[in-house]
Amino acid sequence: ADDHHKAARAPTAPTQHNATMAKMTPLPTNKYLLLLSIVIGHSLLGGYYAGTRPEGAGWRFFSWHPFLMMVGMVGLMGTATLTKKRMGYTNTKLHGMIAWAGLMSSYAGFYVIYQNKNTMGKDHYTTLHSKAGLAVLVGSTMLGMAGGGFLHPDF
C-alpha cells in the first residue's frame, strides 16, 4: 500500500532550495584538515599570547579569560562551522556538539573575567568590549538553542 501511495504522488517541482543544495559539495578532507589546523593553532597560540600581555606579565588567573574565549569562539566554533560544511547526518550532529563545547569554553572565560573583576573591586559591563562580549554570548546561546531545537537532524 505504501509503495502504491508513493508512486501515485506527482513529482514535486524543483525549488530554489533544492537547486542550491544540488550545487553544494562537501568540504574535501585535505582542505578540512588544513583549515582545522589553522583555526585551532590560531586559537591556542593567540589565546596564550593575549593571556600573557602586557609583555612580561606571565600567566595569571586573568589569562584564562582571553585563552578560553579564543579557544571557544575561534577554535571550537570555527571547527564546528568547518565540520558542518562536511555535510551529512554525523557531521551535522558533531557541528552542534562542538559548537556547544565552544560556548561552554566561552562561558568559562566569562566566569574568569567576572570573578577577576570581583576580586579587583571593579564594576562590570563598563566598556564596549564587555557589553559586546555579553551580547555575543547571549546571541550565541540563543542561536544554539534555536539550532538544537529546530535544526537537529533527529527531530
Side-chain angles (χ1 to χ4, degrees):
D2 287 334
D3 290 335
H4 173 71
H5 290 293
K6 287 180 185 175
R9 283 188 218 147
T12 58
T15 63
Q16 181 66 30
H17 175 72
N18 291 340
T20 302
M21 291 301 289
K23 293 178 190 176
M24 294 176 63
T25 57
L27 185 64
T29 300
N30 60 339
K31 287 183 181 178
Y32 175 71
L33 294 175
L34 173 65
L35 291 170
L36 273 187
S37 63
I38 291 169
V39 166
I40 292 170
H42 175 73
S43 71
L44 292 171
L45 294 173
Y48 176 79
Y49 180 82
T52 56
R53 300 300 102 187
E55 187 71 38
W59 194 264
R60 57 214 184 273
F61 180 69
F62 167 81
S63 300
W64 286 105
H65 168 68
F67 182 79
L68 290 168
M69 289 299 205
M70 284 283 290
V71 167
M73 290 289 176
V74 176
L76 291 168
M77 289 208 187
T79 297
T81 301
L82 292 170
T83 301
K84 178 63 179 149
K85 292 193 176 290
R86 302 272 296 159
M87 302 173 82
Y89 174 83
T90 301
N91 289 324
T92 297
K93 289 188 82 168
L94 282 172
H95 160 78
M97 289 183 245
I98 297 168
W100 275 104
L103 193 57
M104 294 302 102
S105 176
S106 299
Y107 270 107
F110 172 79
Y111 170 80
V112 167
I113 196 60
Y114 197 89
Q115 290 303 320
N116 193 62
K117 291 267 189 188
N118 285 344
T119 300
M120 306 285 283
K122 294 186 177 183
D123 291 334
H124 298 279
Y125 314 114
T126 59
T127 65
L128 180 59
H129 175 90
S130 63
K131 292 171 186 172
L134 183 60
V136 167
L137 275 178
V138 170
S140 296
T141 301
M142 291 169 62
L143 283 170
M145 289 169 53
F150 297 115
L151 302 176
H152 193 286
D154 290 337
F155 299 147

